[in-house]
Amino acid sequence: MLRLAGARLLDERDLPGVLGVLDGDPVTACMVAARVEVAGLDPWRLGGEVWACDHRSVRGGRLDGLCYAGPNLIPLRGNSSALRCFADRARRRGRMCSSLVGPAEQVLGLWQELEPDWGPAREVRADQPLMAMARPPAIPLDPLVRPVRPDELDRYLPAAIAMFTEEVGVDPRAEDGGASYRARVAELIAGGRAFARFEGGEVVFKAEIGALSTKVGQIQGVWVHPDRRGQGLGAAGTASVADRLVRSMGRTASLYVNGYNAVARAAYDRIGFTQVGQYATVLF
């Protein structure tokens, strides 16, 4: 009889099976696929580990559960037994992530296992519709939204900091004076994945393409200057970024949004996004 083993660390021999799982639901798996497609499963190159719960005697066979453990802990699939395996391994490893994020069923199930040891969380966002669109936007684009140039980093960075602080609830400069956050933003700009509308040298709309796999691009960090909210800049600007993904890059555009943010959800509906899943996030 085959015995369900604990969570194990995957390596390059498991790559075909992992890619098969990621390809089965590319929108849900975008954050992990974007890393694995480039770096494989080597933890040093990947910047994290990929775990699975499967039958030990069938290495590389059926993956009953899959979880990425890096800056974020992302359980992509797994029943209650698999989630217990992941929780056991996470406890032994120690908390090295800033959040749990991913499919709501798996995230909330894993958090139920980890909360006695890792709790309390700073915030649990249990209702985050995952949305996607594979066709061009249904509303006019903002022609003034464009990729941010590397020499515009210092003008773009205050808007990025404001967005992060509003969305996550902490200042990204708190730990190291902002050096690491500045480097991450600079990397997005250098990759042509940060977009903004400038007026008088100031950012009035911004958004980024965060995770980018071969099939899907995930839009993140959507922000409108407080003085310009309610004027349609968010919808038109997001449509411009989504159009870049769909028509110029040949990807499905995706994003996830807090369920309580009725204004943003209505804007995404107008653009042409439809809900394809449910995410949840646990913030530490």
Side-chain angles (χ1 to χ4, degrees):
M1 178 179 294
L2 295 175
R3 180 176 62 85
L4 185 66
R8 65 177 177 87
L9 176 65
L10 302 187
D11 59 34
E12 293 301 316
R13 292 171 292 179
D14 301 291
L15 185 58
V18 171
L19 290 175
V21 171
L22 301 178
D23 193 55
D25 190 352
V27 175
T28 298
C30 177
M31 286 189 287
V32 178
R35 295 172 177 267
V36 171
E37 289 171 358
V38 173
L41 295 177
D42 175 73
W44 187 84
R45 294 179 60 226
L46 186 63
E49 299 178 349
V50 177
W51 307 336
C53 283
D54 58 15
H55 293 94
R56 195 179 294 276
S57 61
V58 190
R59 181 168 188 125
R62 187 178 82 235
L63 298 177
D64 295 309
L66 195 68
C67 183
Y68 170 76
N72 301 304
L73 190 59
I74 308 174
L76 280 178
R77 65 185 295 182
N79 58 21
S80 58
S81 296
L83 296 177
R84 282 195 293 272
C85 291
F86 295 148
D88 288 342
R89 188 173 185 109
R91 277 190 290 264
R92 293 195 302 270
R93 185 173 186 255
R95 186 173 74 78
M96 303 172 67
C97 58
S98 61
S99 70
L100 273 67
V101 61
E105 181 179 358
Q106 279 68 42
V107 166
L108 298 177
L110 183 57
W111 179 237
Q112 185 176 9
E113 297 288 337
L114 288 171
E115 185 176 14
D117 299 287
W118 284 10
R122 184 163 55 82
E123 186 177 355
V124 177
R125 300 178 179 179
D127 177 20
Q128 295 181 308
L130 177 65
M131 310 184 80
M133 57 181 288
R135 296 180 178 179
I139 66 171
L141 312 183
D142 185 340
L144 297 181
V145 170
R146 59 170 177 81
V148 179
R149 300 190 306 266
D151 66 317
E152 295 174 316
L153 172 61
D154 287 332
R155 285 195 286 165
Y156 181 81
L157 191 60
I161 292 169
M163 176 282 304
F164 190 99
T165 304
E166 287 182 30
E167 174 63 23
V168 181
V170 296
D171 189 325
R173 300 167 295 181
E175 290 189 5
D176 60 1
S180 60
Y181 186 69
R182 181 186 177 91
R184 286 197 296 272
V185 173
E187 184 179 6
L188 287 170
I189 292 174
R193 289 159 55 180
F195 300 83
R197 172 174 171 153
F198 290 89
E199 292 183 358
E202 185 178 28
V203 174
V204 296
F205 165 85
K206 67 163 290 292
E208 296 143 4
I209 299 172
L212 183 67
S213 73
T214 56
K215 292 185 176 181
V216 180
Q218 190 174 88
I219 298 172
Q220 66 178 29
V222 177
W223 180 87
V224 176
H225 192 285
D227 293 342
R228 299 299 305 278
R229 292 174 186 174
Q231 300 176 24
L233 291 182
T238 303
S240 298
V241 180
D243 187 72
R244 178 69 63 103
L245 277 166
V246 172
R247 291 207 285 191
S248 300
M249 303 176 72
R251 264 81 162 185
T252 294
S254 77
L255 52 80
Y256 61 101
V257 59
N258 291 316
Y260 56 76
N261 193 341
V263 173
R265 291 191 64 180
Y268 299 147
D269 287 340
R270 291 197 305 275
I271 293 168
F273 284 94
T274 58
Q275 185 171 352
V276 297
Q278 188 79 10
Y279 260 26
T281 302
V282 179
L283 296 169
F284 299 115

